[in-house]
Amino acid sequence: MPLPADLGVIGMPGCFLYCDVRRQETLGINNFRAFWSIEIPRDPSWVGREFYQQAIVLDETVPDIGVVMSDAMQGIVGPNLKSVDETFIDDLMLDKDRSTGSWGGGMGVFGLQGGDGRLGTFDYTDGVPLDVNQTVWEWRTDGQLIVSDEQVSNNWMNQDQSVGDGIFHFTDFLLPEGITLIFKGANPVRIFVRGKCDIRGSILANGTDITDLWDGKKFDVGGQPAPPLPQPGQPGSAGGPGAGAGGQGASTWSVGSPGSDVVLLQGHVYGGPSGPQLLTGGRGGPVVPAHGDPSQVDFTTPPPTAIPVPQDKYSQYTAGGGSGGGFLNPGQEGLAIQNGTKTVPLGTVYPPVPDPDFFHQSGPVVPPGVALDFLPRPSMESSDHYVVGGSGGGGGGSHALFARQEIWTAIKDPILFSSGAGGAGGGGAVALRIGSSLTTESLSLIQARGGSAADQTKLPEDTGTAFPSGIAAPGGGGSGGSIILLVDGFADLQGTLDVSPGSGGVARLDLPPVEQYSKYVYHTRGGDGSMGYVRLESQDPSPSTALLGQLMPTGSGEVGQVTEEWPLVAFQSRWYETNQIFAPEYHRYEIEAEIDGATEIFSDDPSYGVLAQHPDTPLAFYAQAADIVPGSGQILLPEEVRGWRQFVGQFGPFPNTPTLNLDNKNGFRWVLILDRSFGVDVVIKRVSIFFKP
């Protein structure tokens, strides 16, 4: 007989037979209740078997047949289990320091930002100490080892991990006061914090400063030129993480190299061979005179000065320095300001107006790196669009400044022209995605400053040749980088956010006045870089730049409201008690979720649901065991906290698969990770852990 069967045909309207009758018993009724029991063999093969029941009840009020049918019941043979259930009525058990999202009203809802926390709690000592006091630590964006520690116990992957792309996923982040992180590497710094981020120390992602004075010409002790020729210029310095390098100084008789353009993330819509990032790097300085031919260099006699200079004729040709890298604004031009051709009597206002010789003996103005136009913003995420590494400054040019005619005529100095000084690298790119809240203390610093080029100023040397090693045209400064803060909560920023530009180098000589002359001056400079860019997006309903705290330079920051959703987010529970002194026998977990409005059950027991694991499902579940002091919620022995487990009961693919049950502890906590790439809306209604006392 097909079931259910409508019993209306035998005079029992509204009644149905749901069970196939295999066994029947007569039971007495006591106080409107009947009790039934059956013995089941102590045989594990019986676990999971199903059975069905339905009662026929005598009822004299029913005409004719005098009986009615009860509803049916389905039962499953199994142990006498208890459960710890999270039904999300409130957020008392939400670990807010390590979670994004909210619990309440019977729903667990995931937040927008924060990542999955795969690296656990941030520990600055994973870096390399750079000082004896261990207050300065280097971190790499192209190969940083993160050590797993079950006692820290938030790394749900349970293994050491090497980060080679500069993307760090932490559960929580605290940088203590007095601790400085220096990030180095080819990739930008991208830090995801699933919960709270508290910065009290310093995070530096700066372009490298150039501090070495460059010898533009190499002579040996006897005053002879040193091979090989031509001499290469000073190398440019490295940019900060994910930023452009400075251009190399000009080789002898050549122009300086341009600085690298701003660096965009791979796949950025502004990238490519014709993108607006082109020409943001500072331009290289020229060769002066432009013909680059030592045989055509003019020599003039300088006036007497208070510092003895060999009285001979010298070249006055002066090249401008490399220009500054552009970013939010254009960089600054490189410029030869004065070359000593014009000297004036005492009392004349300085600087003098150069005579016509100045113009033909000085190089052209070096155009600056152009600005990167951010607007209008294309349809891409803020963190992808605005994470930009700064551009490098241009390398200094090559000139014949202070080449001495006597040396040229005596030994036919084939160098004559000095090689150029290097440009400095741009400031790095730093992006923080915070799932809960971001706090920076008043003494804290997040800095992505452009590198500065070296000062090339010299005084005459004691060799009888005035400047035997040459005077290098200076390089340009790198632009500032970017600091991008996306916070799925509120940001309290009291510290400094610094995207200042690097300074261009300077080469200047002021010889003291003597007799009727006031100055003998040469002055050339590289251009300063552009300032970088700061952006904060948070849940603040009235965003303003006042939220940015101490901003350097003024005008480099913008704010907005966060709307971007990161594909991987997670929330984590606090420690639950089973109210057992000793470890119970854990059987399974169950997750009741609404997926696009439809209820689905996930479980490590395939009899109850689908295993919650990536990449098969939009949810991944992990649980962790520890002994809890009954009634306190506190861990008894932190050193005995176990690793994170994908299985609660013994349902793993191998007999020795680690499970919550094998960890043999009386308490636990769990984490749920959402993968939004599935394109579904997910709300969690219940998480249960079943165990046998």
Side-chain angles (χ1 to χ4, degrees):
M1 174 188 303
L3 298 177
D6 187 352
L7 301 182
V9 296
I10 60 171
M12 301 177 64
C15 293
F16 292 85
L17 178 65
Y18 292 99
C19 301
D20 187 8
V21 181
R22 298 294 180 89
R23 176 174 175 170
Q24 55 185 350
E25 295 183 25
T26 302
L27 303 176
I29 296 177
N30 182 13
N31 197 21
F32 302 102
R33 294 182 180 180
F35 294 89
W36 173 85
S37 64
I38 188 174
E39 290 187 0
I40 296 175
R42 296 180 62 86
D43 182 348
S45 65
W46 278 71
V47 176
R49 292 190 181 186
E50 298 179 343
F51 62 93
Y52 303 87
Q53 291 179 309
Q54 190 175 18
I56 301 176
V57 182
L58 297 176
D59 187 347
E60 297 177 351
T61 65
V62 178
D64 300 329
I65 198 167
V67 297
V68 294
M69 301 296 294
S70 73
D71 291 331
M73 183 200 80
Q74 178 189 21
I76 299 177
V77 177
N80 183 21
L81 299 183
K82 292 186 176 181
S83 64
V84 175
D85 305 308
E86 178 55 66
T87 56
F88 305 101
I89 299 302
D90 52 44
D91 62 2
L92 293 179
M93 295 302 292
L94 174 64
D95 187 344
K96 298 177 182 178
D97 289 348
R98 300 176 180 87
S99 300
T100 183
S102 62
W103 293 8
M107 297 184 296
V109 179
F110 292 95
L112 302 178
Q113 293 290 327
D116 58 16
R118 70 191 67 169
L119 300 177
T121 296
F122 166 73
D123 181 0
Y124 66 85
T125 65
D126 281 330
V128 176
L130 300 181
D131 64 331
V132 295
N133 296 322
Q134 298 192 350
T135 60
V136 181
W137 297 77
E138 180 177 294
W139 278 55
R140 302 291 308 183
T141 65
D142 48 13
Q144 178 63 48
L145 179 65
I146 305 297
V147 178
S148 173
D149 186 347
E150 287 191 359
Q151 279 66 57
V152 173
S153 67
N154 290 300
N155 178 343
W156 53 265
M157 296 188 74
N158 301 321
Q159 61 185 5
D160 296 350
Q161 298 177 67
S162 180
V163 177
D165 56 5
I167 302 177
F168 301 89
H169 287 264
F170 298 110
T171 54
D172 49 315
F173 190 103
L174 170 62
L175 182 63
E177 182 178 344
I179 299 299
T180 297
L181 299 186
I182 298 179
F183 281 92
K184 299 286 187 180
N187 300 305
V189 181
R190 287 183 280 179
I191 298 175
F192 292 75
V193 182
R194 207 170 66 193
K196 291 185 177 181
C197 180
D198 186 355
I199 299 174
R200 305 175 186 180
S202 299
I203 296 176
L204 307 184
N206 298 327
T208 303
D209 293 333
I210 300 177
T211 58
D212 296 334
L213 190 69
W214 183 246
D215 288 339
K217 295 194 295 181
K218 299 292 185 182
F219 280 76
D220 63 21
V221 176
Q224 300 299 312
L229 297 174
Q231 179 189 335
Q234 184 181 32
S237 69
Q248 182 168 359
S251 299
T252 309
W253 320 310
S254 303
V255 298
S257 298
S260 298
D261 292 324
V262 295
V263 180
L264 310 176
L265 292 181
Q266 186 174 5
H268 197 293
V269 295
Y270 280 6
S274 61
Q277 84 280 7
L278 297 179
L279 303 180
T280 51
R283 302 297 92 192
V287 56
V288 179
H291 53 67
D293 184 353
S295 66
Q296 299 184 41
V297 170
D298 295 328
F299 297 91
T300 58
T301 302
T305 67
I307 294 180
V309 175
Q311 290 302 293
D312 192 8
K313 290 185 177 182
Y314 294 85
S315 165
Q316 304 292 306
Y317 290 100
T318 308
S323 64
F327 183 4
L328 193 62
N329 308 114
Q332 186 183 36
E333 62 191 12
L335 185 64
I337 299 172
Q338 177 69 13
N339 71 352
T341 302
K342 183 72 172 180
T343 55
V344 296
L346 288 170
T348 303
V349 175
Y350 174 81
V353 177
D355 68 10
D357 283 344
F358 175 80
F359 296 102
H360 81 257
Q361 290 193 340
S362 296
V365 172
V366 182
V370 303
L372 174 69
D373 188 1
F374 270 133
L375 300 174
R377 187 178 114 189
S379 57
M380 64 186 307
E381 304 292 7
S382 296
S383 57
D384 291 337
H385 182 64
Y386 294 116
V387 178
V388 178
S391 65
S398 175
H399 57 193
L401 180 63
F402 277 106
R404 186 179 173 191
Q405 187 181 41
E406 179 180 334
I407 295 178
W408 165 250
T409 56
I411 64 173
K412 296 298 182 183
D413 171 14
I415 299 179
L416 199 65
F417 288 72
S418 296
S419 59
V430 179
L432 302 182
R433 289 175 174 267
I434 312 302
S436 179
S437 62
L438 171 63
T439 302
T440 65
E441 302 294 338
S442 59
L443 298 179
S444 69
L445 172 65
I446 304 177
Q447 188 176 62
R449 178 182 52 78
S452 292
D455 186 342
Q456 299 298 326
T457 297
K458 292 184 177 182
L459 291 177
E461 301 161 14
D462 265 339
T463 61
T465 58
F467 294 95
S469 59
I471 299 174
S479 81
S482 62
I483 300 174
I484 310 302
L485 310 173
L486 275 68
V487 185
D488 189 17
F490 292 91
D492 181 12
L493 306 181
Q494 303 297 323
T496 299
L497 304 175
D498 183 3
V499 288
S500 296
S503 300
V506 174
R508 179 187 178 109
L509 178 64
D510 285 357
L511 296 181
V514 66
E515 299 178 2
Q516 76 273 30
Y517 297 100
S518 64
K519 294 277 186 181
Y520 177 67
V521 179
Y522 103 83
H523 186 186
T524 180
R525 65 159 172 79
D528 296 341
S530 163
M531 63 181 169
Y533 180 72
V534 175
R535 184 173 183 85
L536 166 67
E537 295 184 8
S538 70
Q539 295 286 9
D540 194 294
S542 302
S544 73
T545 54
L547 297 173
L548 295 174
Q550 305 173 53
L551 181 65
M552 296 177 60
T554 302
S556 60
E558 293 182 329
V559 296
Q561 286 190 298
V562 63
T563 58
E564 180 180 337
E565 291 184 336
W566 186 250
L568 292 176
V569 291
F571 49 59
Q572 179 173 308
S573 75
R574 298 171 65 186
W575 291 99
Y576 291 96
E577 299 182 36
T578 59
N579 295 316
Q580 307 295 308
I581 297 177
F582 302 106
E585 180 182 310
Y586 293 98
H587 279 253
R588 70 178 186 275
Y589 72 78
E590 287 184 15
I591 302 166
E592 181 183 342
E594 287 188 358
I595 310 294
D596 284 342
T599 299
E600 293 190 27
I601 302 296
F602 298 86
S603 177
D604 55 343
D605 184 344
S607 300
Y608 291 87
V610 177
L611 184 68
Q613 65 174 355
H614 296 157
D616 300 326
T617 66
L619 293 174
F621 178 84
Y622 297 89
Q624 184 179 42
D627 280 324
I628 306 297
V629 179
S632 71
Q634 302 299 312
I635 298 173
L636 178 63
L637 297 172
E639 66 273 15
E640 292 190 6
V641 173
R642 297 297 188 245
W644 291 89
R645 311 306 185 200
Q646 191 177 14
F647 296 91
V648 169
Q650 297 306 121
F651 300 103
F654 307 104
N656 59 348
T657 298
T659 66
L660 201 68
N661 188 53
L662 290 180
D663 286 335
N664 199 37
K665 301 294 180 181
N666 71 355
F668 61 87
R669 63 179 177 176
W670 50 259
V671 60
L672 259 178
I673 304 167
L674 171 66
D675 183 353
R676 286 198 173 98
S677 67
F678 281 77
V680 294
D681 292 326
V682 179
V683 175
I684 308 301
K685 305 294 288 186
R686 173 179 60 88
V687 175
S688 300
I689 302 291
F690 291 86
F691 62 92
K692 183 178 181 181

